[in-house]
Amino acid sequence: MSQAKGDRRERELVNELDAAGFAVMRAPASGSATERELPDVLAGDGERFYAIEAKSSAGDPIYLTGEEVEALIYFAQNFGAKPRIGVRFDREDWYFFHPADLYVTDGGNYRVKKETALADGTDFAEFVGRSQKVTLEEVSNDGDDGPDEDILRVLTAVEQGVMELEEAATLLE
């Protein structure tokens, strides 16, 4: 991907974070203007503070070197921010990962596939606190084991004509 497209994607992320109420700044050409490794974007809203390494791709997996990720973690810890990898694939939204959640290759680099981003990444709305991801498993384990058995027995008795409606209403009160 061209450097210009990567810069455009970083600016896009900065604008979206700004619109979501974050104080945000971009470190253009991070790493080249200084000897220190800097994250691409710093963002905070008074409660959450992020140091973000932003990467984008047309569709191929996104790779980060081990050094990039280590530098991000080091900076974030010293700055008091949460390190995040922001990825954006063409025609998709931004997705975010903690570095520890990324796949590590045999060579010590990090990889994010498009399918992984869509399935496991934190989407932009959740990242900025506008929504919270809930899995199907969490929904099925929400403590509601279905309808109350006693109520079902009373309703079945009414349906079968074994119990009068008034008697059922009294029992269900």
Side-chain angles (χ1 to χ4, degrees):
M1 170 169 324
S2 72
Q3 182 64 38
K5 187 172 184 181
D7 290 347
R8 195 168 54 249
R9 294 286 191 226
E10 286 178 17
R11 285 191 298 276
E12 169 191 288
L13 177 58
V14 165
N15 291 335
E16 288 182 30
L17 287 166
D18 182 60
F22 280 74
V24 60
M25 66 173 281
R26 180 174 168 257
S30 56
S32 65
T34 177
E35 293 293 316
R36 296 182 309 269
E37 289 292 327
L38 300 173
D40 295 320
V41 176
L42 290 173
D45 69 353
E47 295 177 19
R48 295 167 294 218
F49 302 94
Y50 297 111
I52 304 167
E53 188 66 28
K55 298 288 182 185
S56 58
S57 172
D60 298 327
I62 292 174
Y63 287 93
L64 297 98
T65 67
E67 292 81 23
E68 282 178 297
V69 174
E70 288 171 15
L72 173 67
I73 293 169
Y74 177 79
F75 180 92
Q77 287 175 338
N78 287 335
F79 192 76
K82 297 175 183 177
R84 292 296 184 266
I85 307 295
V87 297
R88 187 178 182 294
F89 293 90
D90 283 2
R91 292 174 288 289
E92 298 295 344
D93 293 325
W94 283 97
Y95 290 91
F96 301 88
F97 292 88
H98 185 280
D101 296 332
L102 297 179
Y103 175 82
V104 181
T105 67
D106 291 340
N109 295 317
Y110 293 76
R111 180 185 74 206
V112 181
K113 291 182 177 179
K114 182 177 179 178
E115 309 84 68
T116 304
L118 298 177
D120 300 328
T122 299
D123 67 17
F124 188 81
E126 184 179 4
F127 185 71
V128 299
R130 282 190 261 169
S131 73
Q132 185 173 357
K133 185 185 295 183
V134 179
T135 65
L136 289 175
E137 183 178 326
E138 291 169 332
V139 170
S140 68
N141 293 333
D142 69 356
D144 183 8
D145 296 328
D148 184 299
E149 291 296 320
D150 291 333
I151 293 173
L152 284 178
R153 278 194 284 280
V154 170
L155 294 175
T156 302
V158 170
E159 184 179 64
Q160 294 173 345
V162 177
M163 184 181 292
E164 294 295 320
L165 194 54
E166 294 78 23
E167 184 182 358
T170 303
L171 285 174
L172 294 176
E173 287 179 345

